[in-house]
Amino acid sequence: MKKTALFGVLVMLLALVLTACGDSPTATPAAAATTAAAAAAATTAAAAPAATTAAAAPAAGGAASVDNAVIEASKKENSVVVYSIMTATSWAPVIAAFNKKYPWIKVDTVDLGSNEVFERYYSESASKANTADMIITNGADGWLNFIAKGEVLPFKATDDALLPTWSKPAASIYTVSTDPMVFIWNKQLLPTAPKTMAELAAMVEKDPAKFKGKVTTYDAETNATGFGDNWFWSKKKGEEGWKILESLGKAPPVLQSSAGTMVNGVLSGQYLVGYFVSLPTVLAQLPAAEAILGWSMIGDGTPVVLRAMGITKGGAHPNSAKLLDDFILSQEGQIAFAEGNLTSYRADVADKAKYSLTKYTAQAGGEQNLINFFFDQDLLDKAKKDAFVTRWKKSVGKA
């Protein structure tokens, strides 16, 4: 009996050792190698994920170790090039923290438009010029095409298992931040602000003269973020959403290409209120402008921009890019981007990050009031996109 029991214990110990050795959290080249077709097949279907908040993330279990072979290989590269839609201000705390871990890697970031990141990469790749190692953008249709072209380098992040499913819209593509598109208003000129799009529409309907030329938002025809705001809003809200946009068209809204212009217009009194405005741009003005500038989540549907990140096949510094990708997705990286006014989404940093999706979800009244961007296959249908733009232009009174 004693020998049998001892044998059983030894077997159990051996099994545990084998399990520990065989369950490496770091992606090996063989495990990471997937075809472009598989990546395209993994993209989100034409329905948004049911859960989009940090609360839906797996419980934190501690990050695994980064592959030492990748670290050593990065020392021969010494740099990484990123084409993104983020400003130097947003990047600064991230680069500073990243360089404390990897001081030999120089991070070069180029701030481009949502679709421009892809256009520049394609042009440079075609001419065999140096190009981006990593792309970060909210352009869902651009990502779908990029994946279909097989331009994404297969990669599985070290913390992959700790990230919510919705934050991984396609194979090897991860979410950097989840930034709400909010209401802004001039507190001194509009003491009672709308809480919902329906309320703003009712205010315009009641007194169109007061709001004529005083409402601002993105131009969905010319701006990718504005397109996404209205595309996903109308998909989620249906005809009810279109009726609200049509009511706002009675102002009609002044259309802009940047959030900075909208924020400055509200601060100066040129506009009373703006909707679907990028929150990071608003936060950059606070607390200095707090006496004048108000903002809030949109109670009947706040669009949430998912800034997606992928490593390119055409870049010259893949190992450095993997380390940066891993760092951005780590607790430390998420906290650092929040210092740059972006919104962290990992549940295990909600009480540490300056700005978190968990907190914003509560302010919106629950996850049912968030409308997230996603890799919608309908975006590849030109006829549907054209029909959407035509209807949107008519609804907001754009000729």
Side-chain angles (χ1 to χ4, degrees), residues 79-337:
S79 66
V80 61
V81 179
V82 186
Y83 293 170
S84 81
I85 57 172
M86 286 93 84
T87 65
T89 300
S90 293
W91 273 109
V94 179
I95 294 173
F98 178 73
N99 280 151
K100 287 181 180 179
K101 294 174 72 75
Y102 309 109
W104 61 88
I105 301 177
K106 183 178 184 293
V107 181
D108 291 319
T109 63
V110 183
D111 182 7
L112 299 170
S114 297
N115 294 319
E116 190 180 4
V117 291
F118 296 116
E119 293 166 0
R120 180 161 171 174
Y121 172 84
Y122 291 138
S123 176
E124 291 169 341
S125 296
S127 62
K128 305 299 182 183
N130 290 333
T131 190
D133 303 296
M134 176 185 287
I135 287 175
I136 303 175
T137 180
N138 60 7
D141 51 346
W143 273 120
L144 289 168
N145 286 316
F146 198 72
I147 293 167
K149 292 175 184 291
E151 292 291 348
V152 178
L153 184 75
F155 174 68
K156 185 174 183 180
T158 303
D159 276 6
D160 181 270
L162 302 178
L163 304 174
T165 301
W166 58 261
S167 72
K168 298 175 276 190
S172 304
I173 305 295
Y174 293 93
T175 295
V176 173
S177 67
T178 47
D179 301 304
M181 309 300 288
V182 301
F183 277 140
I184 61 172
W185 65 91
N186 187 304
K187 292 179 180 179
Q188 297 179 358
L189 300 178
L190 192 68
T192 303
K195 297 181 179 65
T196 65
M197 289 286 283
E199 283 187 15
L200 177 59
M203 292 167 72
V204 171
E205 288 268 13
K206 183 178 179 180
D207 193 352
K210 177 180 179 179
F211 289 95
K212 184 177 181 180
K214 295 294 184 178
V215 180
T216 187
T217 192
Y218 281 112
D219 188 331
E221 183 181 21
T222 60
N223 181 274
T225 300
F227 179 93
D229 290 337
N230 289 275
W231 174 274
F232 292 112
W233 160 269
S234 60
K235 271 219 160 190
K236 177 72 177 288
K237 305 298 288 187
E239 288 304 313
E240 173 195 358
W242 280 112
K243 288 179 181 178
I244 289 172
L245 294 179
E246 288 163 5
S247 293
L248 293 176
K250 295 178 181 179
V254 179
L255 307 175
Q256 299 290 357
S257 60
S258 77
T261 303
M262 290 186 267
V263 171
N264 290 336
V266 168
L267 282 171
S268 69
Q270 180 182 0
Y271 308 126
L272 296 177
V273 61
Y275 66 92
F276 296 167
V277 182
S278 178
L279 181 56
T281 305
V282 179
L283 296 175
Q285 297 290 336
L286 302 176
E290 196 167 5
I292 300 174
L293 183 62
W295 76 270
S296 74
M297 301 289 280
I298 300 173
D300 53 355
T302 300
V304 178
V305 171
L306 273 61
R307 299 176 195 257
M309 164 177 64
I311 300 172
T312 70
K313 281 188 175 179
H317 315 100
N319 294 289
S320 299
K322 289 176 182 178
L323 294 180
L324 182 59
D325 196 313
D326 258 343
F327 180 79
I328 288 171
L329 298 172
S330 71
Q331 291 182 339
E332 189 177 359
Q334 285 288 289
I335 291 171
F337 256 133

